Amino acid sequence: MTNLKLDRVLELFLRGLRGENLSAKKLADEYHVSARSITRDISSLEDFLADHRDLLGNAYLEYSHSDHTYQLVLDEFLTNKELLAMIKCLIGTRAFSKEELLKIIGKLKKYTTVNDRAKFNKIVNNEIYCYKEIHFDCQSVIDLIYDLTEYINTCRKITITYNKMSRETVKRKICPLAIMFSEYYFYLIASIDGDEDNVPRYFRIDRIIGIVCHRENFRRTLDFNEGELRNLSQFMWPGKRQKVVFEFTGPSYQAILDKLHTAKILSIHNGVYTIEADVYGDGIKMYLLSQGSWVKVISPQSFVEEMKDEIRKMNNLYEKSGEENG
């Protein structure tokens, strides 16, 4: 195979990867060769795909009789439907800056067909115009996620410069354990270096404004399970682990089960669902309060008292406001 022919076959492969429909007639005009030469190039490409299934998986050129074109099909690559779903998810997270998001979407769109690319552009342009990113303290969430993943994998201690919720800037020497995403934010799960109780702490990655990596390594505790923590902690708030039982009378118990990964229905009686959930952290209180009168906590009693106390405080605010307005 001559270098010129090899270059042409490689170009056809790359164009196929980008979702382009390959027409022998149009390609012949573009490369100033005969249609028969392009047909031979396509045959060479088909042979290449067949000979390298160990690298490419089930990859082949599919011929369309309607428009006489070939389309590269790769089972190992994302389909147009999957790409569209991914782009929708990326936009919905609001977790990336607009610049980073546009760069990612631009790369993903290159692997769609020409026809679908126009559809993607219409959908994406409408949503990007109204896209509101979260406030970032760091320069790049993507860069931080990559660096932190390396420190987690190598069990390296780090010191982070961090902006707290109060906007106070602090430094913490920590042992990074995992990265999780929840409701617009990426979180670093870590233990404080030297903390004997070894309680997981949560740091919003977009608030990390500096990292110093130390030569010291830490030993990952055997009782830390990232998957279990993900199921137990949906709200990224510290606190104790507890089993909470509550009654739910709202219109969608399924939404509760979807939100609380460990939730299970204990009983159903006259439209009242008794639900138990094994949770970690104090965020469960804010979530259940957000359900209003649809929720009544049953146990543990200490948590029942916390809920009552919070409801009293809320009620006092409204009574005080009423007195002032009166």
Side-chain angles (χ1 to χ4, degrees):
M1 186 182 297
T2 65
N3 288 337
L4 187 60
K5 177 179 172 60
L6 179 60
D7 288 346
R8 204 164 57 230
V9 173
L10 286 173
E11 283 186 32
L12 294 184
F13 179 58
L14 292 174
R15 292 172 74 160
L17 280 176
R18 297 183 112 179
E20 185 175 334
N21 292 333
L22 306 176
S23 165
K25 184 178 185 307
K26 291 181 179 179
L27 290 169
D29 293 338
E30 182 179 338
Y31 287 106
H32 305 292
V33 295
S34 66
R36 182 174 296 180
S37 294
I38 297 296
T39 301
R40 285 196 292 265
D41 293 342
I42 291 174
S43 295
S44 298
L45 181 53
E46 287 177 321
D47 292 340
F48 172 80
L49 297 175
D51 293 340
H52 294 83
R53 292 191 186 279
D54 55 329
L55 295 175
L56 300 171
N58 185 31
Y60 59 94
L61 290 173
E62 185 175 70
Y63 183 71
S64 171
H65 292 279
S66 60
D67 56 4
H68 306 292
T69 61
Y70 294 87
Q71 184 175 9
L72 181 61
V73 178
L74 299 115
D75 289 350
E76 300 297 322
F77 273 55
L78 293 167
T79 65
N80 291 337
K81 295 177 182 178
E82 292 166 339
L83 284 169
L84 179 57
M86 282 184 61
I87 289 173
K88 283 283 191 178
C89 286
L90 285 171
I91 293 173
T93 64
R94 293 178 55 204
F96 303 101
S97 69
K98 196 169 188 176
E99 181 181 353
E100 288 177 326
L101 181 65
L102 286 172
K103 188 179 294 185
I104 294 171
I105 291 176
K107 291 178 180 178
L108 290 175
K109 285 195 302 183
K110 290 179 180 179
Y111 295 97
T112 63
T113 62
V114 174
N115 292 335
D116 277 345
R117 200 168 303 154
K119 186 195 308 179
F120 278 23
N121 284 334
K122 184 177 180 180
I123 294 171
V124 171
N125 289 344
N126 289 338
E127 296 205 36
I128 286 294
Y129 179 77
C130 300
Y131 181 74
K132 298 293 183 182
E133 62 190 46
I134 63 170
H135 174 77
F136 297 92
D137 292 335
C138 66
Q139 291 186 345
S140 171
V141 170
I142 292 176
D143 289 344
L144 279 177
I145 290 173
Y146 185 85
D147 292 340
L148 290 169
T149 300
E150 178 65 21
Y151 304 143
I152 291 168
N153 290 337
T154 56
C155 295
R156 297 289 292 275
K157 293 182 181 181
I158 60 175
T159 293
I160 60 172
T161 303
Y162 184 74
N163 287 339
K164 297 171 64 177
M165 188 184 302
S166 63
R167 308 313 295 163
E168 175 190 0
T169 301
V170 297
K171 290 190 176 183
R172 295 284 187 267
K173 188 175 182 180
I174 60 175
C175 303
L177 301 173
I179 292 173
M180 294 171 60
F181 177 82
S182 178
E183 296 181 343
Y184 309 132
Y185 307 112
F186 286 96
Y187 291 85
L188 171 65
I189 315 300
S191 60
I192 302 296
D193 184 41
D195 192 351
E196 293 183 359
D197 60 11
N198 207 30
V199 174
R201 307 296 175 93
Y202 301 85
F203 300 93
R204 262 178 48 182
I205 290 179
D206 60 284
R207 289 183 181 163
I208 298 175
I209 57 177
I211 299 178
V212 175
C213 179
H214 302 288
R215 295 183 179 180
E216 304 170 75
N217 290 87
F218 64 90
R219 180 174 295 179
R220 186 181 293 270
T221 56
L222 296 177
D223 59 345
F224 177 80
N225 186 307
E226 182 179 347
E228 183 182 22
L229 183 63
R230 187 183 299 275
N231 288 333
L232 292 171
S233 182
Q234 297 301 306
F235 308 103
M236 300 301 138
W237 277 83
K240 60 182 180 295
R241 179 175 177 177
Q242 59 183 335
K243 282 192 177 181
V244 175
V245 179
F246 58 93
E247 293 178 349
F248 179 74
T249 56
S252 177
Y253 71 88
Q254 188 59 54
I256 299 290
L257 300 182
D258 289 340
K259 182 65 177 179
L260 304 175
H261 296 179
T262 61
K264 60 182 179 181
I265 297 174
L266 300 181
S267 65
I268 306 172
H269 183 67
N270 292 334
V272 178
Y273 293 82
T274 302
I275 299 173
E276 179 186 78
D278 190 1
V279 295
Y280 178 87
D282 295 333
I284 183 65
K285 180 168 65 176
M286 291 184 290
Y287 175 68
L288 293 181
L289 285 169
S290 74
Q291 301 300 311
S293 60
W294 290 339
V295 162
K296 178 184 176 182
V297 176
I298 304 300
S299 68
Q301 189 58 37
S302 60
F303 187 56
V304 173
E305 296 304 321
E306 285 184 40
M307 292 287 287
K308 287 181 178 180
D309 185 53
E310 195 67 33
I311 292 169
R312 277 193 294 266
K313 291 177 181 177
M314 293 168 64
N315 185 58
N316 289 339
L317 286 175
Y318 285 101
E319 288 187 348
K320 183 178 178 181
S321 176
E323 292 173 359
E324 292 175 350
N325 293 333

